[in-house]
Amino acid sequence: IVRIDGRATFATNCKIMMMKNPKYILIAAITFIIIFLMNYIGNDSPDKLSRALLTAFSAVIGLGIGMWIYSKRDQNDERNNFD
């Protein structure tokens, strides 16, 4: 955990975790494109561009949070070390 003035920051920790792995950027870009196209093509409302962008950005942010939780869970996993 990165500590600034004795306090751990969530944003700094996520930023460092995501920047360490270039595969995350590729997965995030693919996720953004797929979700954006699904919402843009399948929507008939007049504000379909803003809705598609908002949904795609939300999906990438959710993916980042999920990957951060998953990586923290794997680091603290004691159940697989039974030998």
Side-chain angles (χ1 to χ4, degrees), residues 6-34:
R7 292 180 286 162
T9 59
F10 177 75
T12 305
N13 195 12
C14 285
K15 184 178 178 183
I16 290 172
M17 185 270 306
M18 290 176 195
M19 291 301 161
K20 280 196 272 187
N21 193 356
K23 290 180 186 177
Y24 172 76
I25 297 171
L26 179 66
I27 292 170
I30 291 171
T31 302
F32 180 84
I33 291 168
I34 290 172

Side-chain angles (χ1 to χ4, degrees), residues 33-45 48-49 52:
I33 291 168
I34 290 172
I35 299 296
F36 175 78
L37 289 176
M38 283 174 43
N39 284 300
Y40 189 76
I41 293 170
N43 196 354
D44 293 332
S45 63
K48 67 181 184 178
L49 179 63

